[in-house]
């Protein structure tokens, strides 16, 4: 059985007509940038995320960048960020001229370890960027406590975790302003690039709203040096259709993860995902870890099972950050995760037969010699 790493078909086929109608509606209205579709989606997403404000932007990286800019983060400032995140979180910090200060994750949950935050704080530290990696909510209680104690802001990277919760509260609703991504493969994906900032801070929301549109509130009057980072009407229209399906897609992801857990339990040499007490996981990705990762990936490829590595090189070892001169070995947990993690297929619509094909192959690999 062929199991692709990701298939959109089971998500997109049943809503094909609704999505095409939404697209046709924008086409016929002849209003393509910052109109009713964006306003409607922003309202719906703010409601979904239980926040006061949602500002649609061009992509997830811009959402994080604009949030930091609105918080007036700049040169000389240090920002605590996971050592094992996708590079976008670091890039947003670099774009405003601040310095990313890596903090190692909890090796069981892969999320930033709240117990390691205080040791990384210096007089220049201004904020914390927790990333709800792979779809699991960070331990936001202890993180917010450290932030309060030291007068730091918090910007959550919610790109992989729409709908996840920490003690009943949704990710994307804790920080001063938070970024999310609607890149097609994310749990809520557009048909192209898209993203949003979520916040309960009215002043920050107003600043970001202005900044995404050339620093302008009134056409051709520019108050600040802004960006062109707007969510398109077309993408907003598609996202509104898809948002209504997100809770059922999340449930399917969680059911698939439970099946993986069940069928891979007790397999020697494989570490399965662990969920922290108080957190929920929306399984943007289902990661297993093994010291034989590359061999396992090769074996699964031969069995027609698609896998990916999230992520093969941690940000501090990327060429882009060579100027920071961080030696290999400096962040051993991030480095070990990079060399042992493998993402198994995970998409709403995967059947039990798909999951069993994957788990049978994984078991076959470990039991062959
Ligand atoms: C996808 C992603 C981003 C960036 O989102 P884009 O829309 O691709 O710019 C940021 N952070 C994390 C953790 C992501 O997974």
């Amino acid at each position: 059985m062929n199991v692709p790493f990701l298939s959109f078909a089971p998500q997109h086929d049943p809503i094909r007509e609704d999505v095409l109608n939404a697209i046709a509606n924008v086409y016929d209205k002849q209003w393509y940038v910052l109109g009713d579709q964006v306003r409607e989606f922003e309202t719906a997403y703010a409601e979904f995320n239980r926040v006061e404000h949602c500002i649609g932007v061009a992509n997830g990286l811009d959402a994080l960048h604009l949030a930091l800019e609105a918080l007036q983060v700049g040169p000389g400032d240090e920002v605590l960020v996971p050592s094992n995140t996708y590079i976008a979180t670091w890039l947003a910090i670099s774009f405003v001229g601040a310095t990313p200060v890596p903090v190692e994750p909890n090796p069981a949950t892969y999320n930033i370890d709240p117990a390691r935050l205080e040791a990384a704080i210096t007089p220049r530290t201004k904020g914390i960027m927790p990333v709800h990696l792979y779809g699991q909510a960070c331990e936001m209680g202890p993180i917010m406590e450290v932030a309060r104690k030291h007068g730091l802001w918090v910007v959550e990277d919610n790109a992989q975790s729409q709908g996840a919760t920490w003690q009943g509260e949704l990710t994307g609703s804790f920080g001063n302003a938070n970024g999310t991504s609607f890149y097609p493969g994310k749990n809520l994906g557009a048909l192209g690039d898209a993203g949003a900032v979520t916040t309960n801070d009215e002043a920050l929301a107003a600043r970001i709203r202005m900044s995404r549109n050339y620093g302008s509130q009134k056409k051709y009057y520019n108050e600040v040096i802004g960006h062109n980072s707007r969510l398109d009407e077309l993408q907003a229209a598609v996202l509104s259709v898809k948002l209504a399906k997100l809770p059922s897609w999340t449930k399917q992801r969680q059911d698939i993860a439970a099946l993986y857990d069940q069928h891979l339990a007790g397999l020697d040499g494989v570490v399965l995902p662990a969920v922290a007490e108080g957190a929920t996981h929306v399984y943007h990705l289902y990661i297993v870890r093994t010291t034989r990762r590359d061999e396992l990936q090769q074996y699964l490829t031969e069995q027609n099972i698609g896998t990916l590595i999230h992520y093969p090189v941690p940000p501090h070892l990327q060429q882009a950050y060579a100027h920071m001169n961080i030696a290999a070995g400096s962040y051993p947990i991030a480095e070990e995760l990079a060399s042992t993690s493998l993402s198994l297929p995970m998409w709403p619509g995967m059947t039990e037969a798909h999951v069993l094909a994957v788990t049978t192959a994984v078991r076959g690999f470990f039991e062959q010699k």
Side-chain angles (χ1 to χ4, degrees):
M1 187 182 215
N2 175 30
V3 188
F5 179 71
L6 171 63
S7 167
F8 287 113
Q11 285 178 77
H12 285 181
D13 289 353
I15 57 171
R16 180 183 170 85
E17 204 173 325
D18 291 348
V19 169
L20 294 183
N21 284 340
I23 291 172
N25 178 42
V26 174
Y27 191 85
D28 291 340
K29 262 190 163 169
Q30 302 185 25
W31 189 279
Y32 305 115
V33 171
L34 295 185
D36 292 344
Q37 296 304 319
V38 168
R39 266 191 299 276
E40 273 171 35
F41 174 70
E42 287 176 338
T43 302
Y45 192 77
E47 200 168 293
F48 168 83
N49 207 153
R50 292 186 231 134
V51 291
E52 295 289 322
H53 310 279
C54 167
I55 304 104
V57 297
N59 55 64
L61 174 55
D62 279 5
L64 297 170
H65 180 189
L66 268 60
L68 295 183
E69 197 180 70
L71 284 159
Q72 295 172 310
V73 186
D77 294 344
E78 293 178 356
V79 179
L80 308 188
V81 66
S83 54
N84 62 321
T85 183
Y86 179 56
I87 199 165
T89 329
W90 284 47
L91 293 177
I93 298 167
S94 300
F95 280 157
V96 295
T99 305
V101 174
V103 174
E104 290 266 72
N106 174 327
T109 65
Y110 316 141
N111 273 335
I112 198 165
D113 186 347
R116 292 172 182 266
L117 289 170
E118 281 193 307
I121 293 175
T122 75
R124 290 179 298 279
T125 309
K126 293 293 158 56
I128 310 172
M129 292 183 78
V131 181
H132 310 291
L133 200 66
Y134 309 145
Q136 175 170 191
C138 291
E139 295 171 71
M140 290 311 296
I143 293 171
M144 296 309 290
E145 204 173 294
V146 171
R148 260 191 299 276
K149 184 170 157 199
H150 295 272
L152 308 176
W153 49 254
V154 171
V155 169
E156 295 166 70
D157 181 336
N158 197 30
Q160 302 189 352
S161 50
Q162 295 122 359
T165 58
W166 164 257
Q167 294 188 341
E169 305 276 328
L170 285 156
T171 58
S173 71
F174 292 89
N176 298 64
N178 314 297
T180 194
S181 165
F182 306 121
Y183 180 77
K186 298 294 160 79
N187 287 28
L188 176 60
L191 302 181
D193 279 309
V197 178
T198 53
T199 178
N200 287 311
D201 184 322
E202 196 172 341
L204 280 181
R207 228 175 283 169
I208 293 162
R209 217 170 265 293
M210 187 154 68
S211 149
R212 75 165 169 192
N213 189 27
Y214 288 112
S216 163
Q217 296 194 76
K218 186 177 167 195
K219 206 169 172 67
Y220 305 129
Y221 292 81
N222 302 79
E223 295 171 47
V224 296
I225 296 177
H227 303 253
N228 175 358
S229 182
R230 301 171 297 216
L231 174 63
D232 288 341
E233 286 283 285
L234 272 175
Q235 298 299 350
V238 171
L239 284 166
S240 288
V241 174
K242 293 185 78 176
L243 178 59
K245 304 288 177 196
L246 183 57
S248 79
W249 289 337
T250 298
K251 173 73 168 60
Q252 289 182 55
R253 288 177 182 275
Q254 291 168 333
D255 290 347
I256 292 160
L259 274 178
Y260 271 137
D261 286 346
Q262 183 192 327
H263 291 285
L264 293 173
L267 188 56
D268 236 16
V270 180
V271 181
L272 303 181
V275 183
E277 201 183 322
T280 65
H281 200 318
V282 295
Y283 295 97
H284 172 57
L285 297 169
Y286 187 94
I287 305 279
V288 295
R289 291 203 303 114
T290 165
T291 51
R292 298 173 65 196
R293 191 264 315 276
D294 293 343
E295 264 178 276
L296 174 61
Q297 182 173 42
Q298 176 67 30
Y299 179 86
L300 293 176
T301 304
E302 285 159 12
Q303 309 278 317
N304 297 314
I305 291 165
T307 58
L308 285 175
I309 296 169
H310 300 90
Y311 299 92
V313 181
H316 70 277
L317 299 180
Q318 295 283 357
Q319 200 184 334
Y321 283 100
H323 62 278
M324 287 182 76
N325 285 314
I326 305 176
S330 303
Y331 295 94
I333 302 177
E335 292 169 31
E336 166 152 12
L337 295 178
S339 62
T340 58
S341 296
L342 187 67
S343 304
L344 301 182
M346 169 55 78
W347 31 277
M350 260 182 92
T351 62
E352 185 158 2
H354 285 128
V355 176
L356 283 174
V358 177
T359 58
T360 303
V362 172
R363 284 192 167 274
F365 171 77
F366 284 100
E367 284 159 5
Q368 70 185 344
K369 37 190 157 166

